[in-house]
Amino acid sequence: MSSDFEGYEQDFAVLTAEITNKIARVPRLPPDEKKQMVANVEKQLEEAKELLEQMDLEVREIPLQSRGMYSNRMRSYKQEMGKLETDFKRSRIAYSDEVRNELLGDAGNSSENQLIKLREERAHLLDNTERLERSSRRLEAGYQIAVETEFSEVDTTEFSQHGFGGLRLCIRLISSGKVDGREL
């Protein structure tokens, strides 16, 4: 009986090593290979569970004096199985994101599509920024023209009121930055 158990132990060890290796590879595989690998790992996890059941049956048939040692091994193997299942679920997270994108109509190359979208958005933002800068320059030029027009009106008014001497007065007023008590 214990020889059957030890044979199951060896099979379980080989199987769990294969599963661990495959679980580590799942997140880095292309989508098509990922699907196959996930299906393969699921199948192997089922085989491992069946091996554990067989081992459990063998432990029940072992005499009580020796059963304690085998029961401890079984607990350890069950914990290892739980850890494998948890690791497998974690490795599938990246896989499930791609499946979700596929189901929602996103082509399997979601990172490429996101990169393209980001580039388009960046180009759109740059165009808008340039447009805003052009508009700002036009507004500044318009403001400058308005200020110059106001100065020329003040110059003309001062000159006509005071004659040639008024020109000097205008220059002084402009230099001081005040016209008619208003600050320029």
Side-chain angles (χ1 to χ4, degrees):
M1 270 189 258
S2 66
S3 64
D4 288 339
F5 184 82
E6 289 170 2
Y8 290 139
E9 278 183 311
Q10 289 174 353
D11 291 345
F12 184 77
V14 169
L15 192 57
T16 56
E18 287 177 16
I19 292 170
T20 302
N21 182 19
K22 289 178 180 179
I23 287 173
R25 291 179 24 213
V26 167
R28 293 184 296 263
L29 291 173
D32 293 338
E33 291 179 35
K34 231 178 236 191
K35 288 178 187 178
Q36 292 172 351
M37 184 67 75
V38 166
N40 192 327
V41 170
E42 286 174 342
K43 200 179 298 181
Q44 286 184 321
L45 284 171
E46 285 301 316
E47 288 177 32
K49 286 178 187 176
E50 289 174 13
L51 273 174
L52 282 177
E53 289 174 9
Q54 289 297 322
M55 291 165 69
D56 198 29
L57 291 174
E58 289 294 323
V59 168
R60 290 180 190 173
E61 295 179 13
I62 294 176
L64 283 174
Q65 307 90 310
S66 305
R67 194 179 297 176
M69 178 180 68
Y70 290 104
S71 294
N72 288 338
R73 286 185 189 172
M74 281 302 299
R75 266 187 249 120
S76 172
Y77 295 140
K78 287 178 182 179
Q79 287 175 344
E80 185 176 350
M81 187 68 190
K83 183 183 177 303
L84 283 175
E85 289 174 334
T86 302
D87 291 346
F88 181 57
K89 286 178 186 176
R90 286 184 184 146
S91 74
R92 289 183 62 180
I93 290 173
Y95 170 73
S96 65
D97 287 344
E98 289 179 9
V99 169
R100 178 185 45 114
N101 290 339
E102 224 175 86
L103 290 173
L104 293 174
D106 192 13
N109 307 329
S110 64
S111 61
E112 289 178 28
N113 288 340
Q114 288 175 344
L115 184 61
I116 291 169
K117 286 178 186 176
L118 286 174
R119 286 181 182 159
E120 289 173 354
E121 289 174 0
R122 184 170 188 252
H124 186 68
L125 285 172
L126 288 173
D127 288 343
N128 286 340
T129 302
E130 289 175 16
R131 207 175 294 146
L132 183 61
E133 287 174 356
R134 282 193 306 267
S135 297
S136 295
R137 283 193 298 268
R138 280 192 219 124
L139 283 172
E140 287 175 13
Y143 177 74
Q144 188 65 31
I145 290 171
V147 168
E148 289 172 5
T149 304
E150 186 177 341
F151 281 142
S152 67
E153 287 177 11
V154 168
D155 288 345
T156 307
T157 306
E158 290 291 327
F159 182 72
S160 63
Q161 287 177 356
H162 299 286
F164 193 68
L167 181 58
R168 281 188 229 125
L169 178 63
C170 255
I171 293 171
R172 272 189 270 132
L173 289 173
I174 291 172
S175 300
S176 69
K178 293 185 180 178
V179 174
D180 294 336
R182 294 180 291 159
E183 199 164 305
L184 298 176

